[in-house]
Amino acid sequence: MSQELRFGLVISADGTAAIRTLDDLDRGLDNVDDASRRADRSTSSLRQRVDSLGGTLAGVAKEAVLLGGVVGTLAGALSLNSLVSTQRQFDVLNSQLITATGGTKQAAAAFDELTKFASTTPYALEQAVQGFVQLKNLGLDPSMRSMQSYGNFAAAMGKDLNQMIEAVADASTFEFERLKEFGIKASQQGDQVSFTFQGVTTTVAKNSKEIQEYLLAIGENKFGDAMANRAATLDGAISNLRDNFEA
């Protein structure tokens, strides 16, 4: 049986011509088609992977945006809560001052003075207001002179302002036990009281005014810069920073 051969002219890459059967040419073209289809499949697969990666990145970006929104909301809530808490504290302090001074105008003036006091001393505003109110309610002198003197005395002894004011309040009613915490001993003789501090004894009339004057003098004459010195420490700096921030 005879076999039909088909021949064709093929130009090689180097430009030379060669005679090949047409069947060889068909097989070569089939191989080219197969390679092209594989390339298409690879391209399609790559495109699918890119699309999938793009979707994943978009999802991550969306989650990041949502997370950022949540974080921002929480930060805003915390900031708002801080502002509300600060305002509530100011309202309580203002209410105390109104009660102690007898009016909103007087309370506003006292609050202004106490804010300045707290911003330049190691004592917080809340403590300053409480000390002022305590002096006022007990009928003692609540002036800034008293606040400065008692503040210096307390700072020199490493005590809180209110501890000093409580000791003064007790002493004004002839209860002298708390003064021992500040190094002051007292003895009563009739209508006089003798105080001994740092080895020096001073005798005054047994009445609230004289006793207060004696204690004021110690804070002014012996410890006039005690608050300034304490305010220069880290503890005082933190207290001042908090007061200035809240103001």
Side-chain angles (χ1 to χ4, degrees), residues 48-88:
Q48 290 176 353
R49 293 181 183 182
V50 170
D51 291 342
S52 176
L53 177 60
T56 300
L57 291 176
V60 171
K62 183 178 180 181
E63 292 296 330
V65 170
L66 292 174
L67 179 60
V70 171
V71 171
T73 300
L74 289 175
L78 291 174
S79 178
L80 179 60
N81 183 62
S82 178
L83 290 174
V84 170
S85 178
T86 299
Q87 183 59 51
R88 290 179 63 186

Side-chain angles (χ1 to χ4, degrees), residues 3-7 20-28:
Q3 183 176 5
E4 181 180 358
L5 295 177
R6 295 181 301 165
F7 298 90
R20 292 190 178 177
T21 67
L22 293 180
D23 288 339
D24 290 338
L25 291 176
D26 288 341
R27 284 193 295 272

Side-chain angles (χ1 to χ4, degrees), residues 13 21 36 44 55 64 69 71 73 75 83 98 108 115 118 121 135 140-141 145 163 187 212 217 235-236 238 246:
T21 67
S36 177
S44 177
V71 171
T73 300
L83 290 174
I98 291 175
T115 299
T121 69
L135 287 171
L140 305 177
D141 177 25
R145 178 200 172 198
Q163 287 179 279
S187 60
Q212 287 183 74
D235 176 66
I238 292 174
E246 291 179 349

Side-chain angles (χ1 to χ4, degrees), residues 206-222:
K206 188 179 176 181
N207 62 64
S208 178
K209 182 179 179 180
E210 292 291 326
I211 292 172
Q212 287 183 74
E213 283 295 330
Y214 167 75
L215 296 174
L216 283 170
I218 295 178
E220 291 174 339
N221 299 329
K222 289 187 175 292

Side-chain angles (χ1 to χ4, degrees), residues 121-122 124 230-245:
T121 69
R230 184 169 167 183
T233 65
L234 178 60
D235 176 66
I238 292 174
S239 176
N240 288 340
L241 179 63
R242 182 172 61 250
D243 286 324
N244 288 325
F245 173 76

